[in-house]
Amino acid sequence: MVKIFKKLIKIEKAKKVIFVGDTHGDLKVSQRVIKEFLGPQNKIVFLGDYVDRGPFSRENLDFLLEQKSKYPDQIILLQGNHEGHRFLKFSPAEFWENLSIEEYQKYSQIVENFPLGVVTKDIIALHGALPDIEKLEDFEKIEIGDENWFRICWGDFVEAPGENLGIDPFTGRPQFGRDYFLKIMEKLNKKVLIRSHQPDASKFMFEDRCLTIFSSCAYDREREIAIFNFEKKIKSTKDLEILKI
C-alpha cells in the first residue's frame, strides 16, 4: 500500500498549539520547546528550516525526527525552503553539501514528505507566503517544486499595496503585498497567518493579521514562539501569546 502524506494538517482539538519558527541547527531551542510544552493535550508546530546556519543541523533534525516518531499526533514538522534542497538552491546549505550520497537521499526523502501547512480554527500557519489557491482542499494538489510550493517555502511578504511585487534582486525570493495577503486569506476564510522564513520582516504585518517569528540563535533577532490557547477566540496576532525562548 502506498502511504499518502497530507499537505495540510487540520488541528481540531487541543489545549494549546505552540508555533515554533526556524530552528536552523539550534538544538537547544528544539529541546527546550519539547521539554517545556510537550503534553498530551498540546500540539507543537515547527514551521520548517531545521538545518543549515546553526551549529548542530544534523543533531537538530535527528532529534526532531525522533520526537516526531515518539509523539506523532503532538508534533508537526512543516516544510521550509531548507527542506527542498533538490528543488531550490540557497545559501548557506552546509548540511546538505556535506552529506554522503546515501545520507542525502535518506534525508531528502524524509523531509520532502513533511506537510506544507497547518490550520486550526481561524489560524493558518506555514513557512513563507500563502499559495494562490481557492480553498484549503487545494493544498493537496500542490507538488514539491511547483509554483505554489515556491510561494509557501520561498515567498516573502512586504507591507505594501499590490499583489505580486516581483522578485527581490538580493535574495531571489518572490514578494507579495497586502492585496495578495488579504485576497488569499479571504478565500481560505482565516483571520491570522503565522509564518517564519523572512528575518527582515516586521513581526506584525497587515493590521496585525500576519505574525513572523524566529526561534533560532542563527538570526540577529529575538528567539520567540507563539502560543494559541484553543479556547480563546482570535481576531488578530495580538490575541496570541508570544514568548521569548
Side-chain angles (χ1 to χ4, degrees):
M1 180 181 292
V2 177
K3 188 173 182 180
I4 304 299
F5 295 93
K6 298 287 290 183
K7 309 289 178 61
L8 181 69
I9 303 299
K10 297 181 180 180
I11 299 176
E12 298 177 343
K13 185 178 181 181
K15 182 177 181 181
K16 293 182 178 180
V17 184
I18 296 91
F19 297 92
V20 187
D22 296 4
T23 53
H24 275 308
D26 192 336
L27 175 62
K28 288 185 178 180
V29 79
S30 295
Q31 291 174 330
R32 183 176 176 185
V33 169
I34 296 295
K35 181 180 179 180
E36 293 189 13
F37 297 100
L38 184 67
Q41 298 182 63
N42 288 350
K43 307 285 187 181
I44 304 177
V45 179
F46 289 84
L47 298 174
D49 280 11
Y50 312 105
V51 299
D52 303 318
R53 297 189 185 276
F56 299 106
S57 287
R58 186 193 291 259
E59 294 87 346
N60 188 48
L61 181 54
D62 285 346
F63 171 74
L64 290 172
L65 291 173
E66 178 187 18
Q67 296 303 306
K68 173 65 176 175
S69 68
K70 289 181 179 179
Y71 310 100
D73 296 326
Q74 294 162 253
I75 296 174
I76 300 168
L77 304 177
L78 299 185
Q79 281 189 56
N81 58 287
H82 283 259
E83 285 67 64
H85 188 261
R86 292 202 294 181
F87 301 86
L88 177 66
K89 299 308 174 187
F90 47 80
S91 179
E94 70 275 5
F95 169 77
W96 295 106
E97 293 168 355
N98 288 290
L99 294 175
S100 68
I101 294 175
E102 292 78 13
E103 290 171 332
Y104 189 96
Q105 184 72 11
K106 180 189 77 170
Y107 281 111
S108 294
Q109 288 181 342
I110 293 171
V111 300
E112 288 169 11
N113 283 312
F114 287 173
L116 295 171
V118 164
V119 290
T120 180
K121 289 196 173 180
D122 288 320
I123 297 172
I124 182 168
L126 41 72
H127 185 68
L130 293 161
D132 189 6
I133 56 178
E134 297 297 320
K135 55 187 183 300
L136 290 172
E137 289 74 16
D138 292 340
F139 262 89
E140 304 307 324
K141 301 176 183 178
I142 299 172
E143 300 292 339
I144 189 167
D146 71 14
E147 182 178 347
N148 277 319
W149 180 87
F150 270 93
R151 293 187 183 208
I152 291 171
C153 292
W154 194 233
D156 285 350
F157 276 121
V158 180
E159 185 72 270
E163 291 195 23
N164 191 331
L165 304 182
I167 303 296
D168 185 293
F170 298 104
T171 65
R173 297 178 181 180
Q175 297 180 303
F176 303 93
R178 182 184 304 112
D179 296 313
Y180 179 79
F181 173 84
L182 295 174
K183 180 184 77 172
I184 303 301
M185 291 292 280
E186 182 178 2
K187 287 181 178 181
L188 303 183
N189 193 29
K190 297 299 173 187
K191 294 178 180 176
V192 166
L193 169 66
I194 303 175
R195 63 190 291 270
S196 52
H197 178 60
Q198 188 181 350
D200 62 344
S202 299
K203 184 188 300 186
F204 303 105
M205 288 191 288
F206 310 131
E207 291 77 44
D208 296 330
R209 293 186 61 191
C210 178
L211 171 68
T212 302
I213 56 170
F214 286 85
S215 307
S216 173
C217 62
Y219 290 105
D220 186 23
R221 58 188 289 169
E222 291 181 334
R223 293 190 303 182
E224 295 176 317
I225 59 173
I227 301 175
F228 170 53
N229 186 330
F230 209 75
E231 295 180 354
K232 186 176 181 179
K233 290 185 178 180
I234 185 165
K235 295 181 179 179
S236 79
T237 56
K238 297 301 178 73
D239 295 317
L240 299 163
E241 181 183 5
I242 301 174
L243 293 182
K244 296 179 183 179
I245 190 73

